[in-house]
């Protein structure tokens, strides 16, 4: 497994985001348009792509929230590589990078219907927090935090 730090201009990352958006449009249904507006990638400077045998298999990104907090964004693993620890590896690499950038914690939002994602964040020692920012009061959202 190789980890590659990049930006949102990376073609592998962009390809994963297209696959992620298609998956989320299916999972979120009519709620997709609401969530999609918060997932633009053009300004993401901290993106990770993980490769297995020179094939890109998973990705994730960080977005600054404030001087002490980064938000985990655009987590995706190809379906045929799920359940093999790649998403946890992406998350760990993002946490390391966030700490290197001076962040004290990372936060994220996922949909309650994304049960695999919710299970991953629990397994990786993230704690549920009140929905923050644009997700406050959104019934389908669940937000997490991890102190670094």
């Amino acid at each position: 497994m190789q980890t590659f730090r990049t930006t949102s201009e990376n073609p592998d990352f962009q390809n994963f985001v297209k696959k992620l958006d298609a998956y989320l449009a299916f999972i979120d249904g009519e709620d997709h348009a609401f969530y999609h507006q918060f997932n633009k990638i053009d300004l993401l400077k901290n993106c990770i792509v993980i490769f297995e045998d020179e094939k890109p298999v998973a990705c994730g990104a960080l977005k600054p929230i404030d001087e002490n907090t980064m938000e985990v964004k655009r987590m995706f693993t190809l379906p045929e590589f799920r359940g093999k620890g790649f998403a946890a590896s992406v998350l760990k690499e993002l946490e390391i990078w966030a700490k290197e950038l001076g962040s004290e914690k990372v936060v994220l939002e996922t949909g309650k219907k994304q049960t695999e994602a919710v299970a991953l964040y629990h397994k990786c020692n993230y704690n549920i927090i009140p929905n923050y920012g644009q997700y406050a009061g959104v019934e389908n959202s669940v937000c997490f935090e991890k102190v670094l």
Side-chain angles (χ1 to χ4, degrees):
M1 179 173 64
Q2 305 85 32
T3 302
F4 180 64
R5 289 183 178 185
T6 187
T7 69
S8 60
E9 294 177 4
N10 177 277
D12 291 320
F13 181 78
Q14 290 177 356
N15 185 41
F16 278 138
V17 168
K18 288 177 188 166
K19 292 175 191 273
L20 173 61
D21 285 340
Y23 171 76
L24 292 176
F26 174 76
I27 294 290
D28 293 335
E30 62 188 41
D31 293 333
H32 182 67
F34 170 78
Y35 291 109
H36 188 67
Q37 67 182 320
F38 305 118
N39 290 319
K40 306 294 184 217
I41 66 166
D42 56 333
L43 299 177
L44 295 178
K45 294 178 174 59
N46 307 100
C47 304
I48 287 180
V49 178
I50 287 190
F51 292 80
E52 180 73 6
D53 297 326
E54 299 183 23
K55 176 186 171 86
V57 298
C59 73
L62 292 169
K63 176 182 169 186
I65 296 286
D66 59 40
E67 62 189 32
N68 299 317
T69 309
M70 296 289 269
E71 183 178 27
V72 173
K73 304 292 289 180
R74 314 306 353 217
M75 291 283 296
F76 182 77
T77 302
L78 289 173
E80 62 268 29
F81 289 90
R82 292 182 184 159
K84 299 179 180 179
F86 291 108
S89 293
V90 169
L91 207 50
K92 186 66 181 163
E93 291 296 325
L94 290 172
E95 292 165 9
I96 290 167
W97 202 357
K99 198 167 186 175
E100 288 173 7
L101 293 170
S103 294
E104 297 173 3
K105 66 181 176 178
V106 290
V107 297
L108 62 88
E109 178 275 341
T110 193
K112 290 181 180 177
K113 296 176 189 172
Q114 294 168 258
T115 55
E116 298 94 345
V118 171
L120 169 71
Y121 301 131
H122 281 298
K123 180 180 138 192
C124 292
N125 299 313
Y126 280 69
N127 296 308
I128 293 177
I129 58 171
N131 289 3
Y132 60 87
Q134 64 267 24
Y135 307 111
V138 178
E139 183 65 29
N140 185 44
S141 288
V142 57
C143 293
F144 289 87
E145 168 185 275
K146 184 173 186 179
V147 176
L148 301 175

